[in-house]
Structures are given as structure tokens and as C-alpha cells.
């Protein structure tokens, strides 16, 4: 040991470099500042606009409460509240009932082929809701394929009316059900098997275990899913717009859309006031969730995870229930996507003409030759790669500050990262649009994809944070402390220890952001401009103009891109995007 | 290497007082153990020494550096303390090989190239892990990980070595071997060591001195012999060596002698202490079974209530005066009653509140 002891004196001089006591403070501040600024961009201008009588870039714009007053006096708007309420009620009920049932069936019972079924049932998560809307029109609309077949079969032409509040709501419910499933299946599976075992030991049968143990233990997930469903119903734009607008059914969101596009001079003040009100509603919901779940430690599964969750046997209902799930998949997923795919490869789409007589690739040729389509594809791809990379970097930084630092404001940073979850997508778009008008110099970004880039960073902050932050919690804080104790500063520790260890989560985050950006339309509709088109918003705009063929081709392309990415992520990288 | 001086150190977590005004020092090269039950504040003390946690008040000095002074607001962060801390969980970075784990600490000190290689090899040889330099921590057994973790704290030659229950994740047999090995290693390197454990056997075997802690306070500081032979209070007597505790009433007799009356009226001769309610403590192995030719005092016939075979010895639970005592002996006894003697010099007397 003489060697070790001998060089010790020399070491004293070569100790870890003494820098600031607040190691990493500057980096942490920068990350906090950027994330705060981004959220500010989305919210502040919209907030100011709500209290101005003219667009906020007019110098003579003055303070007013008139926008809010109009919200409650304008008969058209008041009528919209009623419709929106009914719409939300149906969407949420449908999504909760279908989603929870499917989650329990797939997650806890011995349903045949439940692994494969789960994959298919979750598909709509990765598909833009507007594509589901297109599919609904093509399949179940007044001139839809299936409407006609069923009508012929039972001798009643047009046996249902898709273009009704109920019809729109059910289609939106189909789009929302996978979200419920996703929240509930985790809760259904993660339960401590000992709860089950304990109940079995005291003599409870499978049905009773489900009713008395499993479902009550899922309560936090159910409440959370309920709130998220209400939020997503409130902010739903594409499906109500495609299905409702042609027949004059208006929701809060479609009204905001109309107000900002259809009339000669957009009434930004009213739009902002409506948007604020929508967000206030969402905020109240989250407050409510906090209250309801105040004692949720009661639901935390404690103790060892040893042992297997026993699946609940369905007995003789096994195959009938399986058939039911398959029928649901056929009606709610396969028919919609099938019709979109058919539309993409046909010249005309009508129940009177067999699709196989009018097969064509013209729609694809169109989207690959006409500028607008090509640009929207390339822009989307560029934004997907660049946006996902930048978004992942931002999210990683935010998560590290919030979870892995003693930054004084880390709780606030955590809150900020959760905030975009409650900001409806098109409000983010509006906010960024207002900001581009409001912030000096920001106007150079207008009509470029970089405004969209900013909007996407804000919009998907929570989504990525939701993957990275729990993954960070899985990495023992002892690793950081060990690095600190051997002389590493915060930045070094994060870069060399924590980030490399969170690589799988960061990869998942990157892929998820790519998928979300490819299917995004809500925040893009207000930011789209000639030269800055993206697939989601282009599809919506062109559908409303009646260009259904090319739109269907774009939709197929979008779904294919997403599918390739999901499969590649799973197969090549072993990335898990859910479950 | 350096000495450590801790004075009036307190740590409050909200209303929880984890450390309550503790003071102690560690001499250069000394092996000092913090011993106490779970939750008594050992890890909090170690974290304060390491600079991972900021105490509420007090001072900490290492060598001639003031690392924490609550009054003047000085707090040197862990990053700058140049101490070696070994975690109960080992906290080996799983994405780095054994050699890389060690090398990272040298890189932070700008020790690179041949010098870094020499140090890594030397330290890995010291802990007998040189053949595993290119393995990842996940490919090592618990005992091997423990050695690597120790090597990682030694390779940059810290001033002080801090070990938080380093053996608690090993199985019993491995733990005995690792304990001997650790003791030898500390002697060889001569590094000042603060060792945390709740295992009294470890503490007694390894330490130059032991600090017994109880509820955030220091109960006793002393050499292993002092702690074992003359525990300063009932808590230490019970925690270290698991004494039998007997409630009694002490009376001073004329001539400086003292007697203790058990609840059933039995009288024992004991060392003098304060008269009134007391707790008597006697270790299981100090109780004499049968006739040993000793003095005639303190002999009773005890009921044998239970017996368990420990391999090398037998443990009996016996009843005297309505109280249960544990007795350890080599002898095997089948009777239901046996004569025992409680040697006066082995009974320690503590006043009872
Ligand atoms: N971060 C903390 N917040 C609140 N209480 C704490 C915290 N860390 C430790 N404590 C409390 O301080 C006391 C001492 O803890 P600790 O030093 O970990 O005990 P030991 O290592 O001796 O088992 C315990 O009562 C523990 O609950
Ligand atoms: Mg501890």
C-alpha cells in the first residue's frame, strides 16, 4: 500500500475542482426558464387577448369584459354549451364503459388471444381522430358503405343518422376508449397479487374478487381516466368538425374554429375568452380529481410483487365474450380503417359501385405530385424527427431538474411539465399564433414550420414527461449520490450517470413524440400557412373542401408511417410505448 | 487522511428530530462504528459527514477544513469533500464496467493515462477483483459487488471512508468472511473509517471505538470492551449483547452493601446504586448454572420454560420470580428445574424512572 499512501499528498492538491456550491444551477435555471417561457407563450397572449376588444396587435385595443359577457348572453353560444354538455356525457360514458370493460377483459381474465386483442384495441391511440372521423363517414355516413349494405339487408334505407349529436359522440367515444383502456389496464395488472391471494384464502370467488377488490383498487385509475376523457371530449375538434359542421351541429371547439376562420374578421377576443373558459373547466376537473383522490395512498399497492396475478376464469362465457370483442373490433376499428383504405385506392366511393371496379393509384399519385401534399408530407417528417429530438432533449432536461436536482423551484418545474396535459391542443396553436403576433421579432417565424415546432414542444411536453419521469423514479437516487460523493457535479452526474441509464425511456419518448407529431392536427390548424402545411391539418382542410380521395391516401400514408415506426420501435429497439 | 470532529450536530425533518445535539470525534486512522437500531439516526449522521444532507445546526470538521457550520452558514457539498462513501445498495453504476466505475472517480480528479491505470489495477488487486475489471456490475455476485464498491471508494484515496451497513446485503456466511476481510483491509490502508451498522457483532469485531446511538442521541461512546462490559444505561445493555432485564427495588444496607428485591420477594445482592426502583441487567452467558463453587449469594432454583439448541450452545428460557430470563450454556439440561447463580459482579444496576 505504500504506493497508494505515497501519492496521497499529491492528491490533496488535485482534488475535485472547487466550483460553485450550486452545482448545475445555471443549467437548471436555463431548463426551467425555457420550459416556463414555452408554457407562457401558449397561455399569456391568449389570456391578454381575452380581455381586449380588438386583436392584440392593434395599438388601440382596449381592456374589456365584453368577450366574457357575450359568452353568456349570445344565444348561439349558450346553445352550444348545451350541445357540448350532451356530447361530453355520451362520449365519456361510452369510453369509460367500453374502455374499462375491455381493460378488465384483456388484463385480468382468461380471454382467448388477449395479447393480440390488446394490440388491436389500442390502435386508435396511434391514429389521428380525424381518420376515425373520415372512416365513420365512409362506413356509416348517409352514403356510407355499411349504411347501404345494412339498409338493403333490412329494407330500411339509412337505418341510422351519423350526423347527429349521438352519432358524433359515439364515434368520438370509439376514438377515446383506448385511452381509458390504457389507464385502467395498468391499474388492473399492477395490483398486488397478495390482495387477490388474501381474498381467495378467505373464500371469495372470482366474480366477488373482481367486484370487491380489483375494481375498487382501480378507483384512482378510473377517476383519472374519467377526467382525461372529459378533457379530451371537451377539446375534441376533428370529429365534431367533420361530422357536425355540415349539418350545423356546433360544439364549443368547432365554434372557436369557425369564429377564427369562417367570418371575415376573426373575433379573436371571443375566441380567447371561449378558450380560457374551456381551460377553466379543465382546471376545475383536475382540482376535483385531487380532492377525490386525496386519500389515494389507500390504493397504493404495498409490499412484494411476488406471485402471479391469477387470471379470472370466464368459464362458459369465454368464447361468446371473445366473439363480442371481435365484433367490436370489426365495427369500431376495422370497418373505419378499411373504408379509409378502400377510399384511398378507388376513384369514386359509393355503395352503388363495387370498389373493385374502380381501383386506382391516382390518389397516391396526386399526393406525391401536387405541391401542397408533398410539402405537408415532407414538413411533417422534418417536424417529426427534429421536433421529437428537441422535445426529448427538453423533456429529459425538465425531468432531471424536477426529479433529480435540489433546484429550489423544482416542484414548480414539475407542475409546468404537467400543465400542457390540460391545455387543449388548438389553444396551444392559438397561443403560439398570438405570441407570434405579440412578441417582437417572432413574426419571422410566421408561415414557417418553426411555429409548429414551438407549438409541438409545448403540446407534447406532458406526454413525453409522462414516460420519462416515472422511468427516472425507477433509477435509484443512490447512483446520483454515489457520483456526488466521488466528486461529480450535477451536470456531470446527469450526463454520465442518469441520462445513460434512462436511455430506454428516452428512446420511447422520442418514438412517442414522432408518432404524436405525425398524427397531430389540433395545434396545427391555426398555424398552418402556405409553405408550412402538415399532414394532419392539410387532411382536415381538404376534407372540408371535399377532396376525399387524396385525403384518404394521406391518411393511409399517415397510418402506415405510424405503424412502421411502432413496429420498428418494438422490434428493433425493444421500446415499449404503453403497458 | 484526517481526523473528524463533530460538535452539537442536529438534524430536524419538520417536527422529526433525527439527530439531537450529537458530538464526537474520530482520530486519524481510527475505525469508528455508529451502532444502533433502525431509525436511530446513523444514516443521517453519515449523510451529514458525506455532505449529502445539510444538518440543521452544529459543526463538522475534517482535518483542518470546516465542512459545515450551521451558525455561519458554511456548507461544503459532497462533491467537494473528497470523502469515500460506500452505500448499503453499493450503487455501482450499472452501465459502466468495474474498471470504468473506478476510472470515473479518477477522471473527475484529472488523473488519466498510466497513472489512472496503475491506481485502478492496484486497488482492484487490493480487493481481489482484478480479474473482473471488464465485467459489468450486473454480472457480479453480491460479495463481488461489495468489493468493487469498496474499491471505488478507495481508488481516489479519500480522506475518510464512510460505510453505511456495507455487509447487510450479504448472506450470513459471506458476511462473516467479508467482515474479517474488511477489518484487515482497513488496517492495511490505515484510512480513517466511520462505519454504520445495526449489527452489534460487526461493531464489536471491527471497531477501535463504538458510538451507540438511540433515538437521535448518543447513548455511549467507548471501546468494544467498555461498551460490552460496562454499558452506560439499560438501552445499551439491552441492545449490545441482549442483557436480561429484571425490575427490582434497591435498598442500601448498613456497611455499604446493597440488595435488590424482585417483585416476588426474592432478594439478590447487587453492587450499590441509588436506592429505589431499578433495572438489573445480566447477560445470558454470565448466569451460572448448577454448582460452581462460587459464593453462596444469589442462588435460586429456576424453572426451565423453553430450550433451543443453537449448535455450539444451548439457550434456555428460565423463570425466576415471575420474570423470564435467557441463559446460554454449553451444558445440556433435561430437568424442569435447575439451580442457578446470578453472580453479583455480573449484575449491572440502572435507576428506573
Ligand atoms: N428525508 C427524511 N425526511 C423525514 N424524516 C427522515 C428523513 N430521513 C430520515 N428521517 C428520519 O430520521 C430518523 C433517522 O433516520 P436514519 O438516519 O435513516 O436511521 P438509521 O440509518 O439509523 O436507520 C428516522 O426516524 C427517519 O424516519
Ligand atoms: Mg440507515
Amino acid at each position: 500500500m505504500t504506493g497508494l499512501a505515497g501519492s496521497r499528498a499529491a492528491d490533496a492538491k488535485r482534488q475535485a475542482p472547487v466550483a460553485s456550491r450550486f452545482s448545475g444551477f445555471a443549467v437548471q435555471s436555463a431548463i426551467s426558464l425555457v420550459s416556463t417561457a414555452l408554457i407562457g407563450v401558449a397561455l399569456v397572449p391568449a389570456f391578454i387577448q381575452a380581455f381586449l376588444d380588438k386583436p392584440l396587435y392593434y395599438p388601440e385595443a382596449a381592456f374589456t369584459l365584453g368577450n366574457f359577457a357575450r359568452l353568456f348572453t349570445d344565444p348561439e353560444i349558450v346553445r352550444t354549451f348545451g350541445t357540448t354538455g350532451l356530447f361530453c356525457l355520451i362520449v365519456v360514458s361510452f369510453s369509460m364503459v367500453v374502455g374499462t370493460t375491455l381493460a378488465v377483459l384483456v388484463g385480468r381474465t382468461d380471454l382467448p388471444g388477449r395479447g393480440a386483442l390488446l394490440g388491436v384495441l389500442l390502435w386508435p391511440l396511434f391514429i389521428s381522430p380525424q381518420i376515425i372521423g373520415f372512416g365513420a363517414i365512409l362506413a356509416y355516413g348517409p352514403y356510407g358503405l355499411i349504411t347501404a349494405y345494412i339498409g338493403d339487408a333490412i329494407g330500411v334505407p339509412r337505418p341510422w343518422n351519423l350526423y347527429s349529436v349521438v352519432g358524433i359522440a359515439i364515434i368520438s367515444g370509439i376514438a377515446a376508449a383506448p385511452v381509458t383502456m390504457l389507464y385502467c389496464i395498468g391499474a388492473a395488472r399492477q395490483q398486488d397479487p397478495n390482495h387477490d391471494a388474501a381474498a381467495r384464502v378467505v373464500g371469495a370467488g372470482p366474480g366477488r374478487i373482481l367486484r370487491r377488490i380489483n375494481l375498487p383498487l382501480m378507483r384512482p385509475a378510473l377517476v383519472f381516466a374519467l377526467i382525461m376523457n372529459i378533457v379530451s371530449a371537451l377539446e375534441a375538434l376533428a370529429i365534431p368538425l367533420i361530422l357536425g359542421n355540415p349539418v350545423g351541429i356546433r360544439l364549443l371547439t368547432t365554434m372557436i374554429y369557425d369564429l377564427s376562420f369562417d367570418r371575415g374578421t376573426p373575433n379573436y377576443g371571443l375566441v380567447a375568452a371561449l378558450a380560457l373558459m374551456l381551460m377553466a373547466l379543465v382546471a376545475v376537473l383536475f382540482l376535483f380529481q385531487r380532492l377525490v383522490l386525496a386519500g389515494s395512498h389507500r390504493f397504493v399497492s404495498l409490499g412484494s410483487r411476488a406471485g402471479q396475478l391469477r387470471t379470472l376464469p370466464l368459464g362458459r362465457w369465454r368464447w361468446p365474450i371473445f366473439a363480442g370483442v371481435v365484433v367490436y373490433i370489426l365495427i369500431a376499428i376495422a370497418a373505419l380503417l378499411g373504408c379509409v383504405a378502400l377510399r384511398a385506392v378507388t376513384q369514386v366511393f359509393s355503395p352503388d359501385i363495387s370498389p373493385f371496379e374502380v381501383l386506382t393509384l391516382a390518389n397516391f399519385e396526386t399526393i406525391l405530385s401536387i405541391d401542397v401534399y408533398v410539402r405537408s408530407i415532407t414538413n411533417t417528417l422534418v417536424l417529426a424527427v427534429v421536433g421529437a429530438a428537441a422535445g426529448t432533449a427538453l423533456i429529459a432536461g425538465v425531468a432531471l431538474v424536477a426529479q433529480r436536482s435540489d433546484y429550489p423551484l423544482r416542484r414548480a418545474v414539475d407542475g409546468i411539465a404537467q400543465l400542457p396535459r390540460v391545455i387543449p391542443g388548438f389553444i396551444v396553436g392559438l397561443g403560439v399564433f398570438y405570441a407570434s403576433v405579440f412578441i417582437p421579432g417572432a413574426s419571422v417565424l410566421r408561415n414557417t414550420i418553426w411555429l409548429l415546432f414551438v407549438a409541438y414542444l409545448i403540446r407534447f411536453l406532458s406526454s413525453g414527461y409522462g414516460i420519462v419521469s416515472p422511468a427516472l423514479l425507477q433509477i435509484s437516487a443512490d447512483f446520483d449520490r454515489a457520483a456526488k460523493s466521488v466528486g461529480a457535479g450535477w451536470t456531470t452526474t446527469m450526463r454520465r450517470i442518469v441520462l445513460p441509464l434512462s436511455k430506454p425511456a428516452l428512446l420511447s419518448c422520442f418514438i412517442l413524440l414522432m408518432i404524436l407529431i405525425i398524427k397531430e392536427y389540433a395545434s396545427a390548424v391555426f398555424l398552418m400557412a402556405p409553405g408550412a402545411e402538415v399532414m394532419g391539418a392539410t387532411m382536415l382542410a381538404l376534407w372540408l373542401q371535399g377532396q376525399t380521395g387524396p385525403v384518404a391516401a394521406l391518411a393511409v400514408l399517415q397510418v402506415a408511417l405510424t405503424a412502421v415506426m411502432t413496429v420498428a420501435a418494438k422490434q428493433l429497439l425493444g421500446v415499449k410505448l404503453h403497458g | 487522511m484526517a481526523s473528524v470532529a463533530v460538535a452539537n450536530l442536529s438534524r430536524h425533518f419538520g417536527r422529526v428530530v433525527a439527530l439531537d445535539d450529537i458530538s464526537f470525534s474520530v482520530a486519524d486512522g481510527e475505525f469508528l462504528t455508529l451502532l444502533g437500531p433502525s431509525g436511530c439516526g446513523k444514516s443521517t449522521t453519515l449523510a451529514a459527514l458525506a455532505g449529502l444532507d445539510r444538518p440543521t445546526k452544529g459543526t463538522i470538521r475534517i482535518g483542518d477544513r470546516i465542512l459545515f457550520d450551521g451558525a455561519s452558514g458554511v456548507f461544503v457539498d459532497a462533491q467537494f469533500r473528497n470523502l469515500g462513501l460506500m452505500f448499503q445498495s453499493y450503487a455501482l453504476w450499472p452501465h459502466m464496467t468495474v474498471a470504468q466505475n473506478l476510472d470515473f472517480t479518477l477522471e473527475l480528479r484529472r488523473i488519466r493515462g498510466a497513472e489512472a491505470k496503475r491506481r485502478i489495477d492496484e486497488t482492484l488487486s487490493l480487493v481481489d477483483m482484478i480479474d473482473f475489471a471488464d465485467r459489468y456490475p450486473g454480472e457480479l455476485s453480491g460479495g463481488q459487488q461489495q468489493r468493487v464498491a469498496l474499491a471505488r471508494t478507495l481508488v481516489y484515496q479519500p480522506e475518510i471512508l464512510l460505510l453505511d451497513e456495507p455487509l447487510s446485503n450479504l448472506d450470513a456466511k459471506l458476511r462473516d468472511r467479508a467482515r474479517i476481510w474488511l477489518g484487515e483491509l482497513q488496517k492495511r490502508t490505515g484510512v480513517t473509517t466511520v462505519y454504520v451498522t445495526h449489527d452489534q457483532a460487526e461493531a464489536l469485531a471491527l471497531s477501535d471505538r463504538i458510538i451507540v446511538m438511540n433515538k437521535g442521541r448518543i447513548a455511549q461512546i467507548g471501546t468494544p470492551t467498555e461498551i460490552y462490559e460496562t454499558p452506560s444505561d439499560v438501552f445499551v445493555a439491552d441492545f449490545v449483547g441482549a442483557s436480561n432485564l429484571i425490575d427490582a427495588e434497591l435498598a442500601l444496607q448498613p456497611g455499604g452493601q446493597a440488595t435488590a428485591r424482585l417483585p416476588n420477594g426474592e432478594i439478590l445482592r447487587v453492587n450499590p446504586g441509588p436506592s429505589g426502583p431499578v433495572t438489573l441487567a445480566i447477560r445470558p452467558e454470565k448466569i451460572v448454572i448448577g454448582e460452581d463453587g462460587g459464593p453462596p449469594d444469589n442462588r435460586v432454583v429456576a424453572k426451565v420454560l423453553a430450550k433451543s439448541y443453537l449448535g455450539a450452545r444451548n439457550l434456555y428460557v428460565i423463570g425466576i420470580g415471575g420474570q423470564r430470563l435467557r441463559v446460554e450454556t454449553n451444558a445440556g439440561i433435561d430437568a424442569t428445574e435447575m439451580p442457578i447463580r446470578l453472580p453479583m459482579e455480573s449484575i449491572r444496576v440502572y435507576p428506573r424512572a
Side-chain angles (χ1 to χ4, degrees), chain B residues 13 16 18 37-45:
Chain B
F13 294 103
V16 178
S38 171
C40 71
K42 307 178 299 285
S43 295
T44 307
T45 310

Side-chain angles (χ1 to χ4, degrees), chain A residues 227 231 234 276-290 419 422:
Chain A
I227 306 262
V231 172
L234 276 177
L276 277 194
M277 220 194 53
L278 206 56
M279 271 169 47
L281 262 174
V282 171
V284 168
L285 284 173
F286 270 85
L287 223 64
F288 170 77
Q289 181 211 0
R290 281 258 161 120
L419 205 55
V422 304

Side-chain angles (χ1 to χ4, degrees), chain A residues 383-443:
Chain A
L383 278 170
V385 175
V386 179
T392 304
L394 174 71
I395 287 159
V398 168
L400 291 179
V401 172
Q403 309 275 352
R404 291 278 164 159
S405 77
D406 359 299
Y407 190 63
L409 299 174
R410 64 180 184 281
R411 296 242 158 275
V413 173
D414 178 68
I416 279 176
Q418 317 262 13
L419 205 55
R421 204 188 290 289
V422 304
I423 311 178
F426 66 92
I427 293 183
V428 172
L430 262 181
V432 171
F433 174 72
Y434 286 146
S436 75
V437 176
F438 193 58
I439 300 173
S443 58

Side-chain angles (χ1 to χ4, degrees), chain B residues 270-281:
Chain B
V270 295
N271 287 311
S275 59
V278 291
T279 300
L280 308 179

Side-chain angles (χ1 to χ4, degrees), chain A residues 4 7-8 11 14-15 17 19-21 23 478-479 481-489 496-497 500-501, chain B residues 1 75 77-80 83 87 89 91-96 104-105 107-109 119 122 126 152 156-157 159:
Chain A
L4 281 182
S7 49
R8 199 160 258 141
D11 264 8
R14 256 192 313 198
Q15 272 177 21
S20 142
R21 252 178 37 196
S23 169
D478 274 359
F479 291 140
R481 279 189 238 124
K484 206 174 172 191
S485 78
V486 304
R496 298 288 299 278
I497 310 286
L501 288 176
Chain B
M1 266 171 294
F75 177 73
D77 199 74
Q79 186 190 349
F80 307 113
L83 308 179
F87 293 76
S89 63
L92 293 172
W93 302 304
H95 60 302
M96 298 181 181
F104 182 63
T105 71
E107 184 189 327
L108 293 165
R109 289 168 176 72
R119 288 238 202 148
E122 210 170 64
L126 185 70
R152 189 179 67 186
Y156 56 94
Q157 294 155 7
E159 292 178 54

